[in-house]
Amino acid sequence: MTLENQTKINHLLKNWKYGTVCLSSWLKANGVSNQLLNSYKKSKWVESIGSGAVIRAEDKVDYLGGLHALQTQAGLSIHVGGRTALSLLGRAHYLDFAAGRTILIGSPKKTLPLWFRNRDWETRIDYYTTSFLPPDMGLTDFQQHSYSVKISGAVRAILECLFLTPKHQELFECYELMEGMTNLRPQSVQELLENCSSIKVKRLFLYLAEKFKHRWFDYIDLSKVDLGSGKRTLTKNGVYIDKYKLIVPKEFEKNEIPEI
């Protein structure tokens, strides 16, 4: 290996955060050609985890390290969302029935690259695309070792849970998660509700917030939130809530939530 190439690999490894993936496209843009990258692989400096993606040799990289590359190198609007984000924020640790499932959410037409989909991250990746909220609104930085990734903040995360119900997430799980949302910031709630395009999500969120008597609910200006028209049905043979034109499970009104 030439001195110039040795200098490049030293510089690369010095600035490469442990536990993260590097994309070959990003490396090429930063002066590491495909030929030089192949040389690094042969020298056991790096190892491929799929077409266009490498990790440090023998480094341990989880899905967050892969997501870090998608966000910072590929520039994709994909983030940890829903119940997984709440878990990372410490707001769902008492609920273990979604263990082994990781929820990622992206903008429409944003697909996960093949190397990410094929990689065994030791968790099931459930990826959903939607535009019911602006892509960059309500996100927060989550620190993981030496790097950080964008994940949904508490308000956005619970709204994403409600968006996924009832097809992709249990209604009763959302009920329990929402019960724990006691200290949300009214400003964040207001902003996201005003920019949310899902009538179902907004109605269910407000119904549950009022039901649980969360203090922050009193600070929400409902006149600025479009709740649409017509009924929304979440379950068969449920109870109709006239204020929100929403049909919810009977158990919600009886406060008799079955064990999940």
Side-chain angles (χ1 to χ4, degrees):
M1 184 178 293
T2 67
L3 180 60
E4 180 183 359
N5 289 347
Q6 182 70 51
T7 300
K8 285 186 177 181
I9 188 61
N10 289 339
H11 179 74
L12 171 63
L13 294 177
K14 181 180 178 180
N15 292 280
W16 187 345
K17 298 181 186 300
Y18 279 97
T20 65
V21 173
C22 252
L23 304 183
S24 56
S25 57
W26 182 85
L27 290 172
K28 187 175 182 179
N30 284 271
V32 179
S33 65
N34 291 335
Q35 182 180 5
L36 186 54
L37 181 58
N38 288 332
S39 176
Y40 291 164
K41 292 176 184 177
K42 292 179 181 179
S43 300
K44 307 297 184 182
W45 290 105
V46 302
E47 60 182 82
S48 173
I49 61 168
S51 178
V54 295
I55 62 174
R56 285 171 174 266
E58 300 182 0
D59 194 10
K60 294 182 179 180
V61 180
D62 62 16
Y63 78 93
L64 290 174
L67 180 62
H68 179 267
L70 298 182
Q71 293 179 348
T72 63
Q73 298 177 21
L76 295 178
S77 296
I78 298 174
H79 64 273
V80 179
R83 195 249 186 236
T84 307
L86 290 176
S87 294
L88 293 177
L89 293 170
R91 289 176 173 268
H93 59 278
Y94 60 94
L95 298 172
D96 62 2
F97 36 80
R101 176 191 179 200
T102 294
I103 297 174
L104 297 183
I105 295 179
S107 300
K109 299 182 180 180
K110 299 294 184 182
T111 59
L112 291 172
L114 192 61
W115 65 263
F116 193 98
R117 299 200 305 270
N118 288 344
R119 176 76 170 174
D120 180 8
W121 299 113
E122 298 183 353
T123 181
R124 190 183 86 186
I125 301 293
D126 289 343
Y127 178 57
Y128 305 98
T129 59
T130 176
S131 60
F132 87 102
L133 287 171
D136 298 321
M137 185 176 290
L139 300 179
T140 188
D141 290 318
F142 177 76
Q143 193 68 32
Q144 173 78 340
H145 307 306
S146 62
Y147 65 92
S148 65
V149 293
K150 295 288 184 182
I151 71 172
S152 291
V155 180
R156 183 179 181 117
I158 190 63
L159 290 175
E160 289 168 341
C161 288
L162 299 179
F163 179 79
L164 294 174
T165 196
K167 187 176 181 180
H168 300 293
Q169 183 155 341
E170 288 284 348
L171 263 171
F172 298 122
E173 180 182 1
C174 289
Y175 182 98
E176 294 195 14
L177 287 170
M178 191 65 191
E179 187 175 14
M181 299 293 108
T182 58
N183 60 343
L184 299 182
R185 293 178 61 248
Q187 298 93 328
S188 297
V189 173
Q190 186 75 47
E191 180 183 40
L192 284 165
L193 286 180
E194 289 183 23
N195 287 277
C196 177
S197 64
S198 172
I199 300 301
K200 175 198 77 172
V201 168
K202 289 183 284 190
R203 291 184 188 178
L204 181 54
F205 178 86
L206 292 170
Y207 159 70
L208 290 173
E210 186 174 27
K211 179 176 181 58
F212 292 130
K213 296 181 173 59
H214 290 323
R215 292 183 180 180
W216 50 260
F217 177 79
D218 296 331
Y219 297 93
I220 305 305
D221 185 352
L222 296 182
S223 69
K224 296 181 179 180
V225 181
D226 179 13
L227 295 179
S229 61
K231 297 180 182 178
R232 295 296 189 277
T233 302
L234 295 175
T235 185
K236 295 180 179 179
N237 303 316
V239 176
Y240 180 64
I241 308 300
D242 184 61
K243 180 176 180 178
Y244 294 106
K245 295 182 173 58
L246 197 64
I247 297 178
V248 302
K250 297 176 181 178
E251 293 87 347
F252 280 19
E253 285 297 283
K254 296 179 180 179
N255 297 317
E256 297 177 352
I257 304 304
E259 292 186 8
I260 301 175

